[in-house]
Amino acid sequence: MATRNRQHLMVVPGDGIGREVTAQAARVLEWFTKHRGLDCEISHDDRFGAEYWHKSGEFLRPGLVEDMIKADAVLFGAVGGAGDNLHMPQDIRRKYGLPAVRKQMGVFANLRPIKPIPALASDSPLRPEITKGVDIMVVRELVGGIYFGQPRGIETLPDGQRRGVNTQVYTTSEILRIAEVAFELARKRRRKVTSVDKANVMESGQLWREEVQAFRDKNYPDIELNHMYVDNCAMQVVRDPRQFDVLLSDNIFGDILSDCASVITGSLGMLPSASIGVHEASGKRTALYEPVHGSAPDIAGQNKANPLASILSLGLALRHSLGREADGDLLDAAVADVLARKERTADIAAPGVAPISTSGMGDAVIAALGRLAG
Ligand code: IPM
Ligand code: MG
């Protein structure tokens, strides 16, 4: 057998439940290295986040982001603290927080699959006939737009009032590289892209719409493209989510729409995401995998949190970074199997069935992998 280059997955747990949930995802990855011939080294670095800032005065250790860029994939937990950590100054947060790390890593494409698991259908506030069969891929631009546009800031005016400014700005190249990700994904799916903007009010939205349409006409005539204003889209996502295949949006609209769409799956604790950078000549892409949920300080350290969003984020890493599509499928099947057996953490517990712990969920997924792999 030809020798392959050993791959490297870096675990950066961050704050709060990030530690507990990534620990379970790392165990699951170890299972794949032991039982499925996956040649992947796993390293951990917890010198990142609000807790580290309180201990060391630094938000992240020097060189950490460079190492994250070098890794084949990074499994990220969550960032943000509670209690005294809440005093973390906004400027520190802005300078070193998650958006800044994403920007430094150049991970411009954020993929958020929204695919409800049938066993959890009754956990969604939406009726099962609305959510049944939904399969949406949110493709969110992640390192541009109003999160980063200049000018930004808060100033005091001569009359003593204060003025806060952020700028929504996109260039052709920023729009086209994210549109390309959406169209390429659509080709492997149901060949439909819905592009979201506010072109009726915003120039940046008008540009977004024109550029996406021209790009599609030139390069992807086989893909059906329609455009939707973001307000209408927010309604359509909960009214009739089956109409969507790939949902393409800018940074802030994607942030809002992905939380909105998460109700389709029943729990924010179930949603994984992948943030991916440009292709390098070697074929590698920088990639950060993280749950959509946050650090949940109220339940941190109690072995209660649902690790499935982190475990499913590992599933995305298997597919998008480690070249292991079949293993990604196996992991999805194992998670579905566990949930169907009503082995669930407190956030998604079945009525009358005692919830299992964070590590108990890790055990359950590993047991299911063993059963399914035969
Ligand atoms: C997300 C989060 C982040 C974002 C926050 C924590 C900065 O809401 O990943 O959706 O707005 O991108
Ligand atoms: Mg968000």
Side-chain angles (χ1 to χ4, degrees), residues 12-74:
V12 181
D15 294 316
I17 62 167
R19 291 163 194 277
E20 296 149 70
V21 298
T22 54
Q24 298 313 313
R27 287 180 64 207
V28 170
L29 180 59
E30 274 159 24
W31 184 91
F32 280 96
T33 64
K34 281 202 198 100
H35 300 277
R36 302 279 290 184
L38 172 63
D39 193 15
C40 184
E41 177 196 336
I42 308 172
S43 69
H44 294 258
D45 200 319
D46 61 5
R47 287 165 292 176
F48 178 92
E51 288 164 33
Y52 181 63
W53 184 75
H54 273 267
K55 267 191 293 196
S56 70
E58 282 174 340
F59 197 79
L60 70 181
R61 74 143 166 96
L64 181 73
V65 176
E66 288 74 7
D67 288 347
M68 289 163 79
I69 291 170
K70 272 188 233 138
D72 291 291
V74 179

Side-chain angles (χ1 to χ4, degrees), residues 112 140 147 255 258-259 292:
R112 296 185 164 180
R140 168 190 177 196
Y147 276 46
D255 178 46
S258 58
D259 264 35
V292 174

